[in-house]
Amino acid sequence: MVIDSDQSITKKAWVKNHYGVSEITGPDLVETGLNQVKSVGGEVVKDKVSNLSGEKGNVKIETENGSYEANHVILATGMIVELAEASGINTKDGTEPRVKKVVKVDEQGKTNVSGIWAAGTCAGQSVHTIITAGHGASVAINVISEINGERYVDHDILK
């Protein structure tokens, strides 16, 4: 499930440096990503997360319109860390221009709260879409690997 507040800074972007795409508007890039989620059976919920609380093996996700539970949550909040801070997730100074604070994560993307991970700009990565997408994929692989108890690898081959 992806909970999307529809506030992504990417929605304001004109992207000419995303691998595999000659040029694309930010809104089209976001829509393509959300359609990919749906194409593999994922659900996209338009809502805003207001709080996260994690206990071993369970994360409660509170939104403006309801609540959810999950074993793992990946924060991908761009330049915004208020949700992380309000949820007791450690932050630190950012190094990217205009990014004052980022979520403190380990090499895998884990935060200090069990079950909560962070990826992309909010986790201290460059604001460029290709970098944030790649980091998000890396953190997602780390989550799947932890769930499976072994490194997850999935490569589709042309027939």
Side-chain angles (χ1 to χ4, degrees), residues 79 92-102:
M79 297 188 294
K92 63 180 186 175
D93 290 341
T95 58
E96 189 84 357
R98 297 180 305 211
V99 180
K100 295 189 185 332
K101 285 188 177 180
V102 296

Side-chain angles (χ1 to χ4, degrees), residues 1-116:
M1 172 187 286
V2 171
I3 301 174
D4 180 19
S5 68
D6 203 31
Q7 296 177 321
S8 172
I9 192 76
T10 302
K11 288 233 168 169
K12 297 178 181 181
W14 174 246
V15 182
K16 292 180 76 172
N17 60 351
H18 196 97
Y19 177 78
V21 179
S22 59
E23 57 187 40
I24 190 168
T25 68
D28 286 344
L29 184 61
V30 170
E31 182 179 347
T32 298
L34 295 175
N35 286 337
Q36 286 176 322
V37 169
K38 295 173 191 174
S39 76
V40 295
E43 182 180 358
V44 176
V45 175
K46 295 287 185 187
D47 205 344
K48 185 173 184 178
V49 177
S50 54
N51 192 51
L52 297 168
S53 55
E55 296 178 12
K56 192 146 185 90
N58 188 37
V59 179
K60 184 173 184 182
I61 306 151
E62 296 175 47
T63 70
E64 292 179 345
N65 298 305
S67 63
Y68 304 89
E69 289 189 16
N71 297 93
H72 298 274
V73 170
I74 300 174
L75 290 175
T77 56
M79 297 188 294
I80 302 169
V81 295
E82 286 81 3
L83 171 63
E85 291 179 321
S87 302
I89 297 167
N90 292 339
T91 59
K92 63 180 186 175
D93 290 341
T95 58
E96 189 84 357
R98 297 180 305 211
V99 180
K100 295 189 185 332
K101 285 188 177 180
V102 296
V103 175
K104 186 177 181 180
V105 296
D106 68 11
E107 288 181 5
Q108 293 185 320
K110 291 181 182 181
T111 71
N112 62 297
V113 177
S114 179
I116 301 178

Side-chain angles (χ1 to χ4, degrees), residues 141 152-156:
I141 292 298
Y152 177 75
V153 177
D154 180 15
H155 295 285
D156 295 327

Side-chain angles (χ1 to χ4, degrees), residues 10 119-122 125-137:
T10 302
T121 303
C122 75
Q125 299 296 308
S126 170
V127 298
H128 296 90
T129 61
I130 193 67
I131 303 298
T132 60
H135 190 251

